Structure formats: C-alpha cells, structure tokens
Amino acid sequence: MTKNYYINGNTVRELDSPVRGGRKTREEIEETRRRKNRRNAIRRNRQRAMEMNRGFVVFLTVCVLVTAFTAAAFVQLQAQMTNHMRNVANLESQVIDLRADNDVRYKKLTTSVDLNHIKKVAMKELGMSYPSKDQVVYYTVDNNNFMDQYEDIPK
C-alpha cells in the first residue's frame, strides 16, 4: 500500500490522513476520557475487592473461633469415647474372668459334696425320713415371684 504525500512549506504531510495537524476530534477525546474513567473505576473496584472492612474481619474471626471450638469439642468427645470403650473392654474382661472363676468354684463345690453320703448320715444318724402324703401341703402360686402369707401354715 503506497501513501501519497504532499509538501507544504518545509514539511511533508500525508494525503490520506483524516486529521490534519495531529489534532483529535471532540468524539475521540471524549472516548479517550471515558476509557480512562472506566480503567480507573475498574482499578478502584479491584482495590476495594481486595480490602477487608472491620465487620468482615470480625465475622471471619468469629467463624474461625466457632470452627476451632467445634473441632476441639469433637476431639474431646472422641477421646472420651475411646476412654469409655477401653473401660467397657476392661470390665467385660473382668466379668469373663469372674464367671470363669465362679464356674470353677461351683464345680469344686458340686464335686466335693457327696449327696448320697449326706442322705445316709441324715437318715441313719439324725433320724430323718421321707414325708408321708398327709404331711405334704400344696399351694398354688400366681406367676409372681413371691407369695404373701396371711396366716400360719397348718400343721
């Protein structure tokens, strides 16, 4: 693309130039001013977005404190739960040991006592005998585990 020039005095100027003398039109000046104002407004908005006001800082501080308190409470509850689980396990092992010990002692007692020998001693030496039919009295008991006695048992 070739440009045409003309000579005006001691300077050379372009023929295609829409504006002579390098001056801008009023519309171009207004457009430049609007662009500059927009850039400045954008810069101010970015700076405001980066700043934190006092209320926002207080809100964030409260949020952090609530979160920290909740986390600490959760950790404490987990520690208590673990401690309780250990205590339950210890108590269960103690119960198992005591039951085993009880079973061993019960077997020793039942095997050490000879019921036939007790029966012979009671019948021969102490004079015990089986009850006759007229000595046995039957009572009806409700499904309760106890019975109220309102008068003496007949002889």
Side-chain angles (χ1 to χ4, degrees):
M1 176 172 177
T2 60
K3 293 189 176 186
N4 296 326
Y5 299 98
Y6 69 91
I7 299 174
N8 184 6
N10 61 355
T11 60
V12 177
R13 304 186 187 238
E14 287 184 24
L15 286 176
D16 296 340
S17 174
V19 177
R20 294 198 177 172
R23 293 187 180 177
K24 295 182 180 178
T25 63
R26 182 179 292 274
E27 291 85 19
E28 289 174 340
I29 293 172
E30 289 294 322
E31 183 65 29
T32 305
R33 190 180 306 139
R34 275 188 243 125
R35 283 185 194 152
K36 188 176 179 181
N37 287 342
R38 274 192 219 132
R39 279 193 304 255
N40 288 339
I42 290 171
R43 189 178 321 117
R44 280 192 307 267
N45 287 340
R46 284 182 185 161
Q47 286 176 351
R48 278 191 215 128
M50 296 300 288
E51 294 174 0
M52 291 189 282
N53 60 9
R54 191 173 287 174
F56 188 63
V57 171
V58 169
F59 171 73
L60 288 178
T61 304
V62 168
C63 287
V64 167
L65 290 176
V66 167
T67 304
F69 178 74
T70 304
F74 182 71
V75 169
Q76 183 181 9
L77 285 175
Q78 276 189 329
Q80 286 178 355
M81 183 71 122
T82 304
N83 194 14
H84 288 304
M85 294 298 283
R86 282 189 195 135
N87 287 342
V88 167
N90 286 339
L91 292 174
E92 284 178 348
S93 66
Q94 287 177 2
V95 165
I96 290 171
D97 291 343
L98 289 173
R99 281 188 181 159
D101 197 28
N102 269 355
D103 290 343
V104 167
R105 289 181 182 191
Y106 180 75
K107 282 203 178 214
K108 277 185 182 178
L109 283 175
T110 56
T111 55
S112 68
V113 175
D114 184 14
L115 294 179
N116 289 330
H117 175 70
I118 292 173
K119 180 180 170 183
K120 284 179 188 174
V121 169
M123 291 181 104
K124 290 182 180 172
E125 293 178 15
L126 300 175
M128 188 177 111
S129 63
Y130 285 106
S132 62
K133 286 198 175 218
D134 58 338
Q135 290 177 326
V136 177
V137 178
Y138 293 100
Y139 292 96
T140 57
V141 180
D142 294 336
N143 288 336
N144 297 336
N145 290 337
F146 63 92
M147 182 167 116
D148 294 331
Q149 181 177 345
Y150 296 110
E151 56 185 63
D152 290 336
I153 299 174
K155 294 186 181 184

